[in-house]
Amino acid sequence: MGKVTGFLEIDRQVGKYQPASDRIRHFREFTIPMSDAEVQKQSARCMDCGIPYCHGPTGCPVHNQIPDWNDLVYNNNWEEAIRNLHSTNNFPEFTGRVCPAPCEEACTLNLEDAPVAIKTVEQAIADKAYELGFIVPKPATIHTGKKVAVIGSGPSGMAAAQQLGRAGHEVHVYERESKPGGLLRYGIPDFKMEKNFIDRRVEQIKGEGVTFHCGVNVGVDVTVEALLADHDAVLYCGGSETPRPAGIGGAELQGVHDAMPYLVQQNRRV
């Protein structure tokens, strides 16, 4: 664990926001990043619980090894921290920004309403890794000769494409929109996550040999039968843009709109 008495001595802290007078002037992210020293202090609060609920069944759905990388950050080992984080999570810079953080809900320190700032530390690890040049393409050294199509380039499609490419397969990703990212790009507004983070991840994945085909609507521009005939395997990662019904009276009235079509429309314009 980080600091044995850290959770007793250090208060929970997360990034502060820009003043309202500044953030109303733009639509970008407005959280002020914490310094490395501040992030390390937050990592020191991790208790290394006997049963770490943060990545158990009620915590992180991708089973991030949270106590491990908290300890690595506390000890200033950012390279090993991003390696550990990448072992379970292809895109920690995305989840560190938009994940609802069930890990913090499950944190033992949440019994006192002051959980470890896990999401803040996760984002800091990813951003620091980019700053230090630790995140680079890792192309396969052995190729299988197998060809795989991935339909959809949202987070599942991108992650699958990256893992398949690193396994040595020839991977082709088919995306209906003009740019990769799925709802990461078209469903999340810039103030939650700016799109340059998606672009640099796509460049890494391309550097690992994955080919993206944008503006291709599978089922319209190319048939599923054609993909099945031309590839050894086809992976369906289409996701869903169908809004979830609110189930409340008045939702059918004129002037009441679902958020999803609005967000997609506005992000396309941006």
PDB file of all heavy atoms in Angstrom, residues 82-121:
ATOM      1  N   ILE A  82       1.072   2.941 -15.605  1.00  0.00           N
ATOM      2  CA  ILE A  82       0.296   2.893 -16.850  1.00  0.00           C
ATOM      3  C   ILE A  82       0.337   1.483 -17.435  1.00  0.00           C
ATOM      4  O   ILE A  82      -0.649   1.028 -18.026  1.00  0.00           O
ATOM      5  CB  ILE A  82       0.785   3.943 -17.886  1.00  0.00           C
ATOM      6  CG1 ILE A  82      -0.196   4.022 -19.063  1.00  0.00           C
ATOM      7  CG2 ILE A  82       2.187   3.632 -18.380  1.00  0.00           C
ATOM      8  CD1 ILE A  82      -1.581   4.482 -18.713  1.00  0.00           C
ATOM      9  N   ARG A  83       1.425   0.766 -17.224  1.00  0.00           N
ATOM     10  CA  ARG A  83       1.480  -0.614 -17.712  1.00  0.00           C
ATOM     11  C   ARG A  83       0.450  -1.471 -16.971  1.00  0.00           C
ATOM     12  O   ARG A  83      -0.257  -2.283 -17.575  1.00  0.00           O
ATOM     13  CB  ARG A  83       2.889  -1.182 -17.523  1.00  0.00           C
ATOM     14  CG  ARG A  83       3.103  -2.550 -18.161  1.00  0.00           C
ATOM     15  CD  ARG A  83       4.533  -3.058 -18.007  1.00  0.00           C
ATOM     16  NE  ARG A  83       5.463  -2.214 -18.726  1.00  0.00           N
ATOM     17  CZ  ARG A  83       6.475  -1.548 -18.160  1.00  0.00           C
ATOM     18  NH1 ARG A  83       6.668  -1.637 -16.864  1.00  0.00           N
ATOM     19  NH2 ARG A  83       7.282  -0.805 -18.873  1.00  0.00           N
ATOM     20  N   ASN A  84       0.345  -1.278 -15.675  1.00  0.00           N
ATOM     21  CA  ASN A  84      -0.638  -2.019 -14.885  1.00  0.00           C
ATOM     22  C   ASN A  84      -2.058  -1.641 -15.290  1.00  0.00           C
ATOM     23  O   ASN A  84      -2.921  -2.494 -15.467  1.00  0.00           O
ATOM     24  CB  ASN A  84      -0.407  -1.752 -13.394  1.00  0.00           C
ATOM     25  CG  ASN A  84      -1.334  -2.558 -12.505  1.00  0.00           C
ATOM     26  OD1 ASN A  84      -2.542  -2.355 -12.502  1.00  0.00           O
ATOM     27  ND2 ASN A  84      -0.767  -3.464 -11.727  1.00  0.00           N
ATOM     28  N   LEU A  85      -2.293  -0.350 -15.465  1.00  0.00           N
ATOM     29  CA  LEU A  85      -3.628   0.135 -15.833  1.00  0.00           C
ATOM     30  C   LEU A  85      -4.029  -0.368 -17.219  1.00  0.00           C
ATOM     31  O   LEU A  85      -5.174  -0.778 -17.441  1.00  0.00           O
ATOM     32  CB  LEU A  85      -3.636   1.663 -15.779  1.00  0.00           C
ATOM     33  CG  LEU A  85      -4.957   2.413 -15.964  1.00  0.00           C
ATOM     34  CD1 LEU A  85      -6.072   1.810 -15.143  1.00  0.00           C
ATOM     35  CD2 LEU A  85      -4.759   3.879 -15.591  1.00  0.00           C
ATOM     36  N   HIS A  86      -3.080  -0.389 -18.137  1.00  0.00           N
ATOM     37  CA  HIS A  86      -3.365  -0.888 -19.486  1.00  0.00           C
ATOM     38  C   HIS A  86      -3.609  -2.401 -19.500  1.00  0.00           C
ATOM     39  O   HIS A  86      -4.193  -2.923 -20.461  1.00  0.00           O
ATOM     40  CB  HIS A  86      -2.204  -0.567 -20.433  1.00  0.00           C
ATOM     41  CG  HIS A  86      -2.322   0.766 -21.084  1.00  0.00           C
ATOM     42  ND1 HIS A  86      -1.225   1.477 -21.528  1.00  0.00           N
ATOM     43  CD2 HIS A  86      -3.398   1.541 -21.370  1.00  0.00           C
ATOM     44  CE1 HIS A  86      -1.629   2.624 -22.064  1.00  0.00           C
ATOM     45  NE2 HIS A  86      -2.944   2.670 -21.980  1.00  0.00           N
ATOM     46  N   SER A  87      -3.196  -3.110 -18.465  1.00  0.00           N
ATOM     47  CA  SER A  87      -3.408  -4.560 -18.442  1.00  0.00           C
ATOM     48  C   SER A  87      -4.883  -4.911 -18.339  1.00  0.00           C
ATOM     49  O   SER A  87      -5.287  -6.036 -18.684  1.00  0.00           O
ATOM     50  CB  SER A  87      -2.626  -5.198 -17.279  1.00  0.00           C
ATOM     51  OG  SER A  87      -3.229  -4.899 -16.031  1.00  0.00           O
ATOM     52  N   THR A  88      -5.708  -3.975 -17.873  1.00  0.00           N
ATOM     53  CA  THR A  88      -7.150  -4.214 -17.752  1.00  0.00           C
ATOM     54  C   THR A  88      -7.989  -3.225 -18.548  1.00  0.00           C
ATOM     55  O   THR A  88      -9.167  -3.457 -18.780  1.00  0.00           O
ATOM     56  CB  THR A  88      -7.592  -4.122 -16.280  1.00  0.00           C
ATOM     57  OG1 THR A  88      -7.198  -2.850 -15.755  1.00  0.00           O
ATOM     58  CG2 THR A  88      -6.962  -5.226 -15.442  1.00  0.00           C
ATOM     59  N   ASN A  89      -7.395  -2.121 -18.971  1.00  0.00           N
ATOM     60  CA  ASN A  89      -8.164  -1.003 -19.529  1.00  0.00           C
ATOM     61  C   ASN A  89      -7.397  -0.407 -20.708  1.00  0.00           C
ATOM     62  O   ASN A  89      -6.317   0.156 -20.515  1.00  0.00           O
ATOM     63  CB  ASN A  89      -8.378   0.051 -18.432  1.00  0.00           C
ATOM     64  CG  ASN A  89      -9.272   1.198 -18.862  1.00  0.00           C
ATOM     65  OD1 ASN A  89      -9.555   1.384 -20.040  1.00  0.00           O
ATOM     66  ND2 ASN A  89      -9.709   1.982 -17.898  1.00  0.00           N
ATOM     67  N   ASN A  90      -7.958  -0.544 -21.902  1.00  0.00           N
ATOM     68  CA  ASN A  90      -7.268  -0.011 -23.090  1.00  0.00           C
ATOM     69  C   ASN A  90      -7.223   1.505 -23.117  1.00  0.00           C
ATOM     70  O   ASN A  90      -6.288   2.092 -23.671  1.00  0.00           O
ATOM     71  CB  ASN A  90      -7.958  -0.511 -24.360  1.00  0.00           C
ATOM     72  CG  ASN A  90      -7.741  -1.984 -24.598  1.00  0.00           C
ATOM     73  OD1 ASN A  90      -8.260  -2.807 -23.866  1.00  0.00           O
ATOM     74  ND2 ASN A  90      -6.959  -2.328 -25.612  1.00  0.00           N
ATOM     75  N   PHE A  91      -8.225   2.158 -22.532  1.00  0.00           N
ATOM     76  CA  PHE A  91      -8.357   3.607 -22.707  1.00  0.00           C
ATOM     77  C   PHE A  91      -8.622   4.326 -21.381  1.00  0.00           C
ATOM     78  O   PHE A  91      -9.700   4.887 -21.162  1.00  0.00           O
ATOM     79  CB  PHE A  91      -9.485   3.917 -23.695  1.00  0.00           C
ATOM     80  CG  PHE A  91      -9.436   3.105 -24.964  1.00  0.00           C
ATOM     81  CD1 PHE A  91     -10.528   2.360 -25.380  1.00  0.00           C
ATOM     82  CD2 PHE A  91      -8.289   3.059 -25.740  1.00  0.00           C
ATOM     83  CE1 PHE A  91     -10.492   1.610 -26.546  1.00  0.00           C
ATOM     84  CE2 PHE A  91      -8.234   2.310 -26.909  1.00  0.00           C
ATOM     85  CZ  PHE A  91      -9.337   1.582 -27.318  1.00  0.00           C
ATOM     86  N   PRO A  92      -7.660   4.336 -20.470  1.00  0.00           N
ATOM     87  CA  PRO A  92      -7.902   4.967 -19.162  1.00  0.00           C
ATOM     88  C   PRO A  92      -8.126   6.471 -19.234  1.00  0.00           C
ATOM     89  O   PRO A  92      -8.744   7.041 -18.338  1.00  0.00           O
ATOM     90  CB  PRO A  92      -6.637   4.633 -18.360  1.00  0.00           C
ATOM     91  CG  PRO A  92      -5.589   4.333 -19.391  1.00  0.00           C
ATOM     92  CD  PRO A  92      -6.321   3.709 -20.533  1.00  0.00           C
ATOM     93  N   GLU A  93      -7.649   7.116 -20.315  1.00  0.00           N
ATOM     94  CA  GLU A  93      -7.909   8.555 -20.440  1.00  0.00           C
ATOM     95  C   GLU A  93      -9.373   8.830 -20.758  1.00  0.00           C
ATOM     96  O   GLU A  93      -9.872   9.928 -20.494  1.00  0.00           O
ATOM     97  CB  GLU A  93      -7.001   9.195 -21.505  1.00  0.00           C
ATOM     98  CG  GLU A  93      -7.283   8.795 -22.936  1.00  0.00           C
ATOM     99  CD  GLU A  93      -6.617   7.508 -23.361  1.00  0.00           C
ATOM    100  OE1 GLU A  93      -6.331   6.651 -22.495  1.00  0.00           O
ATOM    101  OE2 GLU A  93      -6.374   7.343 -24.572  1.00  0.00           O
ATOM    102  N   PHE A  94     -10.086   7.832 -21.318  1.00  0.00           N
ATOM    103  CA  PHE A  94     -11.533   7.978 -21.534  1.00  0.00           C
ATOM    104  C   PHE A  94     -12.287   7.723 -20.226  1.00  0.00           C
ATOM    105  O   PHE A  94     -13.100   8.542 -19.796  1.00  0.00           O
ATOM    106  CB  PHE A  94     -12.042   6.983 -22.587  1.00  0.00           C
ATOM    107  CG  PHE A  94     -11.404   7.088 -23.946  1.00  0.00           C
ATOM    108  CD1 PHE A  94     -11.535   6.058 -24.860  1.00  0.00           C
ATOM    109  CD2 PHE A  94     -10.668   8.205 -24.323  1.00  0.00           C
ATOM    110  CE1 PHE A  94     -10.952   6.132 -26.120  1.00  0.00           C
ATOM    111  CE2 PHE A  94     -10.087   8.290 -25.580  1.00  0.00           C
ATOM    112  CZ  PHE A  94     -10.228   7.247 -26.479  1.00  0.00           C
ATOM    113  N   THR A  95     -12.014   6.574 -19.621  1.00  0.00           N
ATOM    114  CA  THR A  95     -12.750   6.220 -18.405  1.00  0.00           C
ATOM    115  C   THR A  95     -12.433   7.180 -17.263  1.00  0.00           C
ATOM    116  O   THR A  95     -13.289   7.466 -16.431  1.00  0.00           O
ATOM    117  CB  THR A  95     -12.439   4.777 -17.978  1.00  0.00           C
ATOM    118  OG1 THR A  95     -11.022   4.598 -17.925  1.00  0.00           O
ATOM    119  CG2 THR A  95     -13.033   3.789 -18.964  1.00  0.00           C
ATOM    120  N   GLY A  96     -11.208   7.685 -17.233  1.00  0.00           N
ATOM    121  CA  GLY A  96     -10.841   8.646 -16.198  1.00  0.00           C
ATOM    122  C   GLY A  96     -11.604   9.948 -16.307  1.00  0.00           C
ATOM    123  O   GLY A  96     -11.648  10.735 -15.347  1.00  0.00           O
ATOM    124  N   ARG A  97     -12.227  10.170 -17.474  1.00  0.00           N
ATOM    125  CA  ARG A  97     -13.014  11.394 -17.672  1.00  0.00           C
ATOM    126  C   ARG A  97     -14.519  11.152 -17.576  1.00  0.00           C
ATOM    127  O   ARG A  97     -15.235  11.980 -17.018  1.00  0.00           O
ATOM    128  CB  ARG A  97     -12.676  12.012 -19.034  1.00  0.00           C
ATOM    129  CG  ARG A  97     -11.318  12.699 -19.051  1.00  0.00           C
ATOM    130  CD  ARG A  97     -10.908  13.181 -20.434  1.00  0.00           C
ATOM    131  NE  ARG A  97      -9.817  14.122 -20.326  1.00  0.00           N
ATOM    132  CZ  ARG A  97      -8.525  13.777 -20.187  1.00  0.00           C
ATOM    133  NH1 ARG A  97      -8.195  12.487 -20.168  1.00  0.00           N
ATOM    134  NH2 ARG A  97      -7.592  14.686 -20.057  1.00  0.00           N
ATOM    135  N   VAL A  98     -14.998  10.048 -18.125  1.00  0.00           N
ATOM    136  CA  VAL A  98     -16.457   9.896 -18.257  1.00  0.00           C
ATOM    137  C   VAL A  98     -17.055   8.747 -17.458  1.00  0.00           C
ATOM    138  O   VAL A  98     -18.274   8.637 -17.384  1.00  0.00           O
ATOM    139  CB  VAL A  98     -16.852   9.756 -19.743  1.00  0.00           C
ATOM    140  CG1 VAL A  98     -16.381  10.950 -20.552  1.00  0.00           C
ATOM    141  CG2 VAL A  98     -16.298   8.457 -20.341  1.00  0.00           C
ATOM    142  N   CYS A  99     -16.250   7.902 -16.856  1.00  0.00           N
ATOM    143  CA  CYS A  99     -16.802   6.800 -16.069  1.00  0.00           C
ATOM    144  C   CYS A  99     -17.515   7.346 -14.830  1.00  0.00           C
ATOM    145  O   CYS A  99     -17.029   8.288 -14.203  1.00  0.00           O
ATOM    146  CB  CYS A  99     -15.675   5.865 -15.647  1.00  0.00           C
ATOM    147  SG  CYS A  99     -16.209   4.496 -14.599  1.00  0.00           S
ATOM    148  N   PRO A 100     -18.659   6.767 -14.458  1.00  0.00           N
ATOM    149  CA  PRO A 100     -19.365   7.222 -13.249  1.00  0.00           C
ATOM    150  C   PRO A 100     -18.706   6.770 -11.951  1.00  0.00           C
ATOM    151  O   PRO A 100     -19.218   7.055 -10.864  1.00  0.00           O
ATOM    152  CB  PRO A 100     -20.757   6.621 -13.395  1.00  0.00           C
ATOM    153  CG  PRO A 100     -20.560   5.422 -14.260  1.00  0.00           C
ATOM    154  CD  PRO A 100     -19.452   5.782 -15.213  1.00  0.00           C
ATOM    155  N   ALA A 101     -17.584   6.074 -12.036  1.00  0.00           N
ATOM    156  CA  ALA A 101     -16.742   5.713 -10.891  1.00  0.00           C
ATOM    157  C   ALA A 101     -17.445   4.861  -9.829  1.00  0.00           C
ATOM    158  O   ALA A 101     -17.496   5.230  -8.651  1.00  0.00           O
ATOM    159  CB  ALA A 101     -16.148   6.965 -10.250  1.00  0.00           C
ATOM    160  N   PRO A 102     -17.983   3.694 -10.215  1.00  0.00           N
ATOM    161  CA  PRO A 102     -18.509   2.789  -9.184  1.00  0.00           C
ATOM    162  C   PRO A 102     -17.429   2.321  -8.213  1.00  0.00           C
ATOM    163  O   PRO A 102     -17.735   1.899  -7.098  1.00  0.00           O
ATOM    164  CB  PRO A 102     -19.097   1.626  -9.988  1.00  0.00           C
ATOM    165  CG  PRO A 102     -18.376   1.672 -11.304  1.00  0.00           C
ATOM    166  CD  PRO A 102     -18.110   3.124 -11.566  1.00  0.00           C
ATOM    167  N   CYS A 103     -16.159   2.417  -8.624  1.00  0.00           N
ATOM    168  CA  CYS A 103     -15.051   2.049  -7.735  1.00  0.00           C
ATOM    169  C   CYS A 103     -15.045   2.924  -6.480  1.00  0.00           C
ATOM    170  O   CYS A 103     -14.782   2.438  -5.369  1.00  0.00           O
ATOM    171  CB  CYS A 103     -13.719   2.185  -8.477  1.00  0.00           C
ATOM    172  SG  CYS A 103     -13.454   3.807  -9.253  1.00  0.00           S
ATOM    173  N   GLU A 104     -15.328   4.209  -6.673  1.00  0.00           N
ATOM    174  CA  GLU A 104     -15.334   5.116  -5.521  1.00  0.00           C
ATOM    175  C   GLU A 104     -16.540   4.856  -4.625  1.00  0.00           C
ATOM    176  O   GLU A 104     -16.452   4.987  -3.401  1.00  0.00           O
ATOM    177  CB  GLU A 104     -15.283   6.568  -5.997  1.00  0.00           C
ATOM    178  CG  GLU A 104     -13.983   6.916  -6.714  1.00  0.00           C
ATOM    179  CD  GLU A 104     -13.825   8.402  -7.005  1.00  0.00           C
ATOM    180  OE1 GLU A 104     -14.561   9.216  -6.414  1.00  0.00           O
ATOM    181  OE2 GLU A 104     -12.951   8.750  -7.826  1.00  0.00           O
ATOM    182  N   GLU A 105     -17.661   4.469  -5.235  1.00  0.00           N
ATOM    183  CA  GLU A 105     -18.833   4.092  -4.439  1.00  0.00           C
ATOM    184  C   GLU A 105     -18.495   2.884  -3.565  1.00  0.00           C
ATOM    185  O   GLU A 105     -18.961   2.770  -2.429  1.00  0.00           O
ATOM    186  CB  GLU A 105     -19.993   3.737  -5.363  1.00  0.00           C
ATOM    187  CG  GLU A 105     -20.564   4.907  -6.125  1.00  0.00           C
ATOM    188  CD  GLU A 105     -21.885   5.389  -5.542  1.00  0.00           C
ATOM    189  OE1 GLU A 105     -22.561   4.599  -4.872  1.00  0.00           O
ATOM    190  OE2 GLU A 105     -22.207   6.560  -5.756  1.00  0.00           O
ATOM    191  N   ALA A 106     -17.693   1.949  -4.129  1.00  0.00           N
ATOM    192  CA  ALA A 106     -17.382   0.713  -3.419  1.00  0.00           C
ATOM    193  C   ALA A 106     -16.202   0.855  -2.456  1.00  0.00           C
ATOM    194  O   ALA A 106     -15.969  -0.036  -1.635  1.00  0.00           O
ATOM    195  CB  ALA A 106     -17.081  -0.393  -4.434  1.00  0.00           C
ATOM    196  N   CYS A 107     -15.460   1.942  -2.550  1.00  0.00           N
ATOM    197  CA  CYS A 107     -14.257   2.141  -1.719  1.00  0.00           C
ATOM    198  C   CYS A 107     -14.605   2.075  -0.231  1.00  0.00           C
ATOM    199  O   CYS A 107     -15.593   2.654   0.226  1.00  0.00           O
ATOM    200  CB  CYS A 107     -13.626   3.493  -2.060  1.00  0.00           C
ATOM    201  SG  CYS A 107     -12.183   3.927  -1.052  1.00  0.00           S
ATOM    202  N   THR A 108     -13.767   1.387   0.535  1.00  0.00           N
ATOM    203  CA  THR A 108     -14.006   1.269   1.971  1.00  0.00           C
ATOM    204  C   THR A 108     -14.091   2.640   2.644  1.00  0.00           C
ATOM    205  O   THR A 108     -14.889   2.847   3.559  1.00  0.00           O
ATOM    206  CB  THR A 108     -12.885   0.434   2.617  1.00  0.00           C
ATOM    207  OG1 THR A 108     -12.819  -0.846   1.977  1.00  0.00           O
ATOM    208  CG2 THR A 108     -13.139   0.227   4.101  1.00  0.00           C
ATOM    209  N   LEU A 109     -13.294   3.580   2.171  1.00  0.00           N
ATOM    210  CA  LEU A 109     -13.312   4.918   2.773  1.00  0.00           C
ATOM    211  C   LEU A 109     -14.605   5.667   2.486  1.00  0.00           C
ATOM    212  O   LEU A 109     -14.863   6.706   3.096  1.00  0.00           O
ATOM    213  CB  LEU A 109     -12.109   5.738   2.278  1.00  0.00           C
ATOM    214  CG  LEU A 109     -10.754   5.364   2.896  1.00  0.00           C
ATOM    215  CD1 LEU A 109      -9.639   6.182   2.271  1.00  0.00           C
ATOM    216  CD2 LEU A 109     -10.769   5.555   4.405  1.00  0.00           C
ATOM    217  N   ASN A 110     -15.426   5.130   1.579  1.00  0.00           N
ATOM    218  CA  ASN A 110     -16.722   5.762   1.333  1.00  0.00           C
ATOM    219  C   ASN A 110     -17.676   5.553   2.515  1.00  0.00           C
ATOM    220  O   ASN A 110     -18.732   6.187   2.578  1.00  0.00           O
ATOM    221  CB  ASN A 110     -17.350   5.222   0.045  1.00  0.00           C
ATOM    222  CG  ASN A 110     -18.423   6.147  -0.505  1.00  0.00           C
ATOM    223  OD1 ASN A 110     -18.309   7.376  -0.418  1.00  0.00           O
ATOM    224  ND2 ASN A 110     -19.470   5.580  -1.068  1.00  0.00           N
ATOM    225  N   LEU A 111     -17.311   4.674   3.437  1.00  0.00           N
ATOM    226  CA  LEU A 111     -18.080   4.565   4.675  1.00  0.00           C
ATOM    227  C   LEU A 111     -18.089   5.898   5.418  1.00  0.00           C
ATOM    228  O   LEU A 111     -19.007   6.210   6.174  1.00  0.00           O
ATOM    229  CB  LEU A 111     -17.479   3.479   5.583  1.00  0.00           C
ATOM    230  CG  LEU A 111     -17.644   2.029   5.091  1.00  0.00           C
ATOM    231  CD1 LEU A 111     -16.787   1.097   5.934  1.00  0.00           C
ATOM    232  CD2 LEU A 111     -19.095   1.600   5.126  1.00  0.00           C
ATOM    233  N   GLU A 112     -17.051   6.693   5.194  1.00  0.00           N
ATOM    234  CA  GLU A 112     -16.947   8.025   5.796  1.00  0.00           C
ATOM    235  C   GLU A 112     -17.213   9.119   4.754  1.00  0.00           C
ATOM    236  O   GLU A 112     -16.847  10.278   4.966  1.00  0.00           O
ATOM    237  CB  GLU A 112     -15.549   8.225   6.404  1.00  0.00           C
ATOM    238  CG  GLU A 112     -15.197   7.245   7.504  1.00  0.00           C
ATOM    239  CD  GLU A 112     -16.024   7.483   8.760  1.00  0.00           C
ATOM    240  OE1 GLU A 112     -16.408   8.644   8.995  1.00  0.00           O
ATOM    241  OE2 GLU A 112     -16.285   6.506   9.489  1.00  0.00           O
ATOM    242  N   ASP A 113     -17.798   8.730   3.599  1.00  0.00           N
ATOM    243  CA  ASP A 113     -18.110   9.670   2.521  1.00  0.00           C
ATOM    244  C   ASP A 113     -16.863  10.395   2.002  1.00  0.00           C
ATOM    245  O   ASP A 113     -16.940  11.545   1.572  1.00  0.00           O
ATOM    246  CB  ASP A 113     -19.155  10.703   2.976  1.00  0.00           C
ATOM    247  CG  ASP A 113     -20.481  10.049   3.322  1.00  0.00           C
ATOM    248  OD1 ASP A 113     -20.884   9.111   2.604  1.00  0.00           O
ATOM    249  OD2 ASP A 113     -21.110  10.463   4.320  1.00  0.00           O
ATOM    250  N   ALA A 114     -15.717   9.733   2.057  1.00  0.00           N
ATOM    251  CA  ALA A 114     -14.476  10.341   1.562  1.00  0.00           C
ATOM    252  C   ALA A 114     -13.634   9.275   0.865  1.00  0.00           C
ATOM    253  O   ALA A 114     -12.518   8.959   1.309  1.00  0.00           O
ATOM    254  CB  ALA A 114     -13.701  10.979   2.705  1.00  0.00           C
ATOM    255  N   PRO A 115     -14.163   8.684  -0.233  1.00  0.00           N
ATOM    256  CA  PRO A 115     -13.414   7.613  -0.895  1.00  0.00           C
ATOM    257  C   PRO A 115     -12.126   8.129  -1.516  1.00  0.00           C
ATOM    258  O   PRO A 115     -11.951   9.331  -1.726  1.00  0.00           O
ATOM    259  CB  PRO A 115     -14.385   7.135  -1.979  1.00  0.00           C
ATOM    260  CG  PRO A 115     -15.249   8.329  -2.263  1.00  0.00           C
ATOM    261  CD  PRO A 115     -15.417   9.017  -0.944  1.00  0.00           C
ATOM    262  N   VAL A 116     -11.226   7.195  -1.807  1.00  0.00           N
ATOM    263  CA  VAL A 116     -10.011   7.542  -2.547  1.00  0.00           C
ATOM    264  C   VAL A 116     -10.420   8.139  -3.895  1.00  0.00           C
ATOM    265  O   VAL A 116     -11.380   7.682  -4.527  1.00  0.00           O
ATOM    266  CB  VAL A 116      -9.136   6.290  -2.755  1.00  0.00           C
ATOM    267  CG1 VAL A 116      -7.929   6.606  -3.645  1.00  0.00           C
ATOM    268  CG2 VAL A 116      -8.679   5.734  -1.409  1.00  0.00           C
ATOM    269  N   ALA A 117      -9.705   9.158  -4.343  1.00  0.00           N
ATOM    270  CA  ALA A 117     -10.028   9.839  -5.604  1.00  0.00           C
ATOM    271  C   ALA A 117      -9.539   8.998  -6.788  1.00  0.00           C
ATOM    272  O   ALA A 117      -8.677   9.414  -7.571  1.00  0.00           O
ATOM    273  CB  ALA A 117      -9.395  11.229  -5.624  1.00  0.00           C
ATOM    274  N   ILE A 118     -10.126   7.810  -6.925  1.00  0.00           N
ATOM    275  CA  ILE A 118      -9.631   6.815  -7.883  1.00  0.00           C
ATOM    276  C   ILE A 118      -9.721   7.325  -9.318  1.00  0.00           C
ATOM    277  O   ILE A 118      -8.766   7.206 -10.100  1.00  0.00           O
ATOM    278  CB  ILE A 118     -10.432   5.509  -7.738  1.00  0.00           C
ATOM    279  CG1 ILE A 118     -10.271   4.942  -6.328  1.00  0.00           C
ATOM    280  CG2 ILE A 118      -9.986   4.486  -8.775  1.00  0.00           C
ATOM    281  CD1 ILE A 118     -11.245   3.826  -5.991  1.00  0.00           C
ATOM    282  N   LYS A 119     -10.859   7.901  -9.671  1.00  0.00           N
ATOM    283  CA  LYS A 119     -11.052   8.376 -11.043  1.00  0.00           C
ATOM    284  C   LYS A 119     -10.043   9.467 -11.392  1.00  0.00           C
ATOM    285  O   LYS A 119      -9.475   9.482 -12.490  1.00  0.00           O
ATOM    286  CB  LYS A 119     -12.484   8.894 -11.192  1.00  0.00           C
ATOM    287  CG  LYS A 119     -12.846   9.382 -12.577  1.00  0.00           C
ATOM    288  CD  LYS A 119     -14.319   9.762 -12.624  1.00  0.00           C
ATOM    289  CE  LYS A 119     -14.690  10.422 -13.945  1.00  0.00           C
ATOM    290  NZ  LYS A 119     -16.116  10.771 -14.007  1.00  0.00           N
ATOM    291  N   THR A 120      -9.782  10.365 -10.461  1.00  0.00           N
ATOM    292  CA  THR A 120      -8.807  11.442 -10.674  1.00  0.00           C
ATOM    293  C   THR A 120      -7.415  10.867 -10.895  1.00  0.00           C
ATOM    294  O   THR A 120      -6.674  11.315 -11.790  1.00  0.00           O
ATOM    295  CB  THR A 120      -8.803  12.396  -9.467  1.00  0.00           C
ATOM    296  OG1 THR A 120     -10.103  12.981  -9.333  1.00  0.00           O
ATOM    297  CG2 THR A 120      -7.764  13.487  -9.626  1.00  0.00           C
ATOM    298  N   VAL A 121      -7.052   9.865 -10.093  1.00  0.00           N
ATOM    299  CA  VAL A 121      -5.722   9.251 -10.224  1.00  0.00           C
ATOM    300  C   VAL A 121      -5.607   8.519 -11.561  1.00  0.00           C
ATOM    301  O   VAL A 121      -4.582   8.598 -12.247  1.00  0.00           O
ATOM    302  CB  VAL A 121      -5.447   8.292  -9.045  1.00  0.00           C
ATOM    303  CG1 VAL A 121      -4.114   7.573  -9.235  1.00  0.00           C
ATOM    304  CG2 VAL A 121      -5.462   9.053  -7.717  1.00  0.00           C
TER     305      VAL A 121
END
